[in-house]
CSV table of all heavy atoms in Angstrom, one decimal:
chain,number,residue,atom,x,y,z
A,173,GLY,N,66.7,123.8,0.5
A,173,GLY,CA,68.1,124.0,0.7
A,173,GLY,C,68.6,124.1,2.1
A,173,GLY,O,69.8,124.2,2.4
A,174,ASN,N,67.7,124.1,3.1
A,174,ASN,CA,67.9,124.2,4.5
A,174,ASN,C,67.7,122.9,5.3
A,174,ASN,O,67.1,122.0,4.9
A,174,ASN,CB,67.1,125.3,5.1
A,174,ASN,CG,67.5,126.7,4.6
A,174,ASN,OD1,68.6,127.0,4.2
A,174,ASN,ND2,66.5,127.6,4.6
A,175,GLN,N,68.3,122.9,6.5
A,175,GLN,CA,68.1,121.8,7.4
A,175,GLN,C,66.7,121.9,8.0
A,175,GLN,O,66.1,122.9,8.1
A,175,GLN,CB,69.2,121.8,8.5
A,175,GLN,CG,70.6,121.7,8.1
A,175,GLN,CD,71.1,120.3,8.2
A,175,GLN,OE1,70.3,119.4,8.3
A,175,GLN,NE2,72.4,120.1,8.0
A,176,ARG,N,66.2,120.8,8.4
A,176,ARG,CA,65.0,120.8,9.1
A,176,ARG,C,65.2,121.3,10.5
A,176,ARG,O,66.1,121.0,11.2
A,176,ARG,CB,64.4,119.4,9.2
A,176,ARG,CG,63.0,119.3,9.8
A,176,ARG,CD,62.4,117.8,9.7
A,176,ARG,NE,62.3,117.4,8.3
A,176,ARG,CZ,61.8,116.3,8.0
A,176,ARG,NH1,61.3,115.4,8.9
A,176,ARG,NH2,61.8,115.9,6.7
A,177,GLU,N,64.3,122.3,11.0
A,177,GLU,CA,64.4,123.0,12.2
A,177,GLU,C,63.2,122.8,13.1
A,177,GLU,O,62.1,122.7,12.5
A,177,GLU,CB,64.8,124.5,11.9
A,177,GLU,CG,63.7,125.3,11.3
A,177,GLU,CD,64.0,126.7,11.2
A,177,GLU,OE1,65.1,127.1,11.6
A,177,GLU,OE2,63.2,127.4,10.7
A,178,LEU,N,63.4,122.9,14.3
A,178,LEU,CA,62.4,122.8,15.3
A,178,LEU,C,61.5,124.2,15.2
A,178,LEU,O,62.1,125.3,15.2
A,178,LEU,CB,62.8,122.7,16.8
A,178,LEU,CG,61.8,122.5,17.9
A,178,LEU,CD1,62.4,121.5,18.9
A,178,LEU,CD2,61.6,123.9,18.5
A,179,VAL,N,60.2,124.0,15.3
A,179,VAL,CA,59.3,125.1,15.3
A,179,VAL,C,58.7,125.2,16.8
A,179,VAL,O,58.8,126.2,17.4
A,179,VAL,CB,58.1,125.1,14.3
A,179,VAL,CG1,57.2,126.3,14.5
A,179,VAL,CG2,58.8,125.0,12.9
A,180,ALA,N,58.1,124.1,17.2
A,180,ALA,CA,57.5,124.1,18.5
A,180,ALA,C,57.3,122.6,18.9
A,180,ALA,O,57.0,121.8,18.0
A,180,ALA,CB,56.1,124.8,18.5
A,181,THR,N,57.4,122.4,20.2
A,181,THR,CA,57.0,121.1,20.8
A,181,THR,C,56.1,121.3,22.0
A,181,THR,O,56.0,122.3,22.6
A,181,THR,CB,58.4,120.3,21.2
A,181,THR,OG1,59.0,121.0,22.2
A,181,THR,CG2,59.3,120.1,20.0
A,182,ILE,N,55.4,120.2,22.3
A,182,ILE,CA,54.6,120.1,23.4
A,182,ILE,C,54.6,118.7,24.1
A,182,ILE,O,54.5,117.8,23.3
A,182,ILE,CB,53.1,120.6,23.1
A,182,ILE,CG1,52.3,120.6,24.3
A,182,ILE,CG2,52.6,119.7,22.0
A,182,ILE,CD1,51.0,121.3,24.0
A,183,SER,N,54.8,118.6,25.4
A,183,SER,CA,54.8,117.4,26.0
A,183,SER,C,53.4,116.9,26.3
A,183,SER,O,52.4,117.7,26.1
A,183,SER,CB,55.6,117.5,27.4
A,183,SER,OG,54.8,118.2,28.3
A,184,ARG,N,53.3,115.7,26.7
A,184,ARG,CA,52.1,115.1,27.0
A,184,ARG,C,51.3,115.9,28.2
A,184,ARG,O,50.1,116.1,28.2
A,184,ARG,CB,52.1,113.7,27.5
A,184,ARG,CG,50.8,112.9,27.7
A,184,ARG,CD,51.0,111.5,27.8
A,184,ARG,NE,49.7,110.8,27.9
A,184,ARG,CZ,49.0,110.3,26.9
A,184,ARG,NH1,49.6,110.4,25.7
A,184,ARG,NH2,47.9,109.7,27.1
A,185,GLY,N,52.2,116.5,29.1
A,185,GLY,CA,51.6,117.3,30.2
A,185,GLY,C,51.4,118.8,29.8
A,185,GLY,O,51.0,119.5,30.6
A,186,GLY,N,51.7,119.1,28.5
A,186,GLY,CA,51.4,120.5,28.1
A,186,GLY,C,52.5,121.5,28.1
A,186,GLY,O,52.2,122.7,27.9
A,187,ILE,N,53.7,121.1,28.5
A,187,ILE,CA,54.8,121.9,28.4
A,187,ILE,C,55.3,122.2,27.0
A,187,ILE,O,55.5,121.3,26.3
A,187,ILE,CB,56.1,121.4,29.3
A,187,ILE,CG1,55.6,121.1,30.7
A,187,ILE,CG2,57.2,122.3,29.3
A,187,ILE,CD1,56.6,120.3,31.5
A,188,THR,N,55.4,123.5,26.7
A,188,THR,CA,55.7,123.9,25.3
A,188,THR,C,57.1,124.6,25.2
A,188,THR,O,57.6,125.1,26.2
A,188,THR,CB,54.6,124.9,24.8
A,188,THR,OG1,54.7,126.1,25.7
A,188,THR,CG2,53.2,124.3,24.8
A,189,ASN,N,57.6,124.4,24.0
A,189,ASN,CA,58.8,125.1,23.7
A,189,ASN,C,58.7,125.6,22.2
A,189,ASN,O,58.2,124.9,21.3
A,189,ASN,CB,60.0,124.0,23.7
A,189,ASN,CG,61.3,124.6,23.4
A,189,ASN,OD1,61.7,125.7,23.9
A,189,ASN,ND2,62.1,123.9,22.6
A,190,TYR,N,59.2,126.8,22.0
A,190,TYR,CA,59.1,127.4,20.7
A,190,TYR,C,60.5,128.0,20.2
A,190,TYR,O,61.3,128.4,21.0
A,190,TYR,CB,58.2,128.7,20.8
A,190,TYR,CG,56.7,128.4,21.1
A,190,TYR,CD1,56.3,128.4,22.4
A,190,TYR,CD2,55.8,128.0,20.1
A,190,TYR,CE1,54.9,128.1,22.7
A,190,TYR,CE2,54.5,127.8,20.3
A,190,TYR,CZ,54.1,127.8,21.6
A,190,TYR,OH,52.7,127.6,21.9
A,191,ALA,N,60.6,127.9,19.0
A,191,ALA,CA,61.8,128.6,18.4
A,191,ALA,C,61.6,130.1,18.5
A,191,ALA,O,60.5,130.6,18.6
A,191,ALA,CB,61.9,128.2,16.8
A,192,ASP,N,62.7,130.8,18.8
A,192,ASP,CA,62.6,132.2,19.0
A,192,ASP,C,62.0,132.9,17.9
A,192,ASP,O,61.2,133.9,18.1
A,192,ASP,CB,64.1,132.8,19.2
A,192,ASP,CG,64.7,132.4,20.5
A,192,ASP,OD1,63.9,132.0,21.5
A,192,ASP,OD2,65.9,132.5,20.7
A,193,SER,N,62.1,132.4,16.7
A,193,SER,CA,61.6,133.1,15.5
A,193,SER,C,60.1,133.1,15.4
A,193,SER,O,59.5,133.9,14.7
A,193,SER,CB,62.2,132.5,14.2
A,193,SER,OG,61.9,131.1,14.1
A,194,VAL,N,59.4,132.2,16.2
A,194,VAL,CA,58.0,132.1,16.1
A,194,VAL,C,57.3,132.5,17.4
A,194,VAL,O,56.1,132.5,17.5
A,194,VAL,CB,57.5,130.7,15.7
A,194,VAL,CG1,58.2,130.3,14.4
A,194,VAL,CG2,57.8,129.6,16.8
A,195,LYS,N,58.0,132.7,18.4
A,195,LYS,CA,57.5,133.1,19.7
A,195,LYS,C,56.5,134.3,19.6
A,195,LYS,O,56.9,135.3,19.0
A,195,LYS,CB,58.6,133.3,20.8
A,195,LYS,CG,59.2,132.1,21.4
A,195,LYS,CD,60.2,132.5,22.4
A,195,LYS,CE,60.9,131.2,22.9
A,195,LYS,NZ,61.9,131.5,24.0
A,196,GLY,N,55.4,134.3,20.2
A,196,GLY,CA,54.5,135.3,20.2
A,196,GLY,C,53.6,135.3,18.9
A,196,GLY,O,52.6,136.1,18.9
A,197,ARG,N,53.9,134.5,18.0
A,197,ARG,CA,53.1,134.4,16.7
A,197,ARG,C,52.4,133.1,16.6
A,197,ARG,O,51.3,133.0,16.0
A,197,ARG,CB,53.9,134.7,15.5
A,197,ARG,CG,54.6,136.0,15.5
A,197,ARG,CD,55.3,136.4,14.2
A,197,ARG,NE,56.4,135.4,13.9
A,197,ARG,CZ,56.5,134.6,12.9
A,197,ARG,NH1,55.5,134.6,12.0
A,197,ARG,NH2,57.5,133.9,12.7
A,198,PHE,N,53.1,132.0,17.0
A,198,PHE,CA,52.6,130.6,16.8
A,198,PHE,C,52.2,130.1,18.2
A,198,PHE,O,52.8,130.4,19.2
A,198,PHE,CB,53.7,129.7,16.2
A,198,PHE,CG,54.0,130.0,14.8
A,198,PHE,CD1,53.6,131.1,14.1
A,198,PHE,CD2,54.9,129.1,14.2
A,198,PHE,CE1,54.0,131.4,12.8
A,198,PHE,CE2,55.2,129.3,12.8
A,198,PHE,CZ,54.8,130.5,12.2
A,199,THR,N,51.1,129.2,18.2
A,199,THR,CA,50.7,128.5,19.4
A,199,THR,C,50.5,127.1,19.1
A,199,THR,O,49.8,126.8,18.2
A,199,THR,CB,49.4,129.2,20.0
A,199,THR,OG1,49.5,130.6,20.2
A,199,THR,CG2,49.0,128.5,21.2
A,200,ILE,N,51.2,126.3,19.9
A,200,ILE,CA,51.0,124.9,19.7
A,200,ILE,C,50.1,124.3,20.8
A,200,ILE,O,50.1,124.8,21.9
A,200,ILE,CB,52.3,124.0,19.8
A,200,ILE,CG1,52.2,122.6,19.4
A,200,ILE,CG2,53.1,124.3,21.2
A,200,ILE,CD1,53.5,121.9,19.2
């Protein structure tokens, strides 16, 4: 019932981005 949402991304160079809801718990 929800929209697809970003969890985490990583660039080819290793730059990461996390949703606030998973920061500190998930590692990409």
Side-chain angles (χ1 to χ4, degrees):
N174 293 332
Q175 300 264 13
R176 189 172 298 185
E177 64 177 359
L178 182 148
V179 177
T181 61
I182 184 167
S183 73
R184 189 172 183 86
I187 300 172
T188 59
N189 182 47
Y190 296 91
D192 288 341
S193 60
V194 307
K195 285 182 179 177
R197 300 188 297 122
F198 292 9
T199 302
I200 189 170

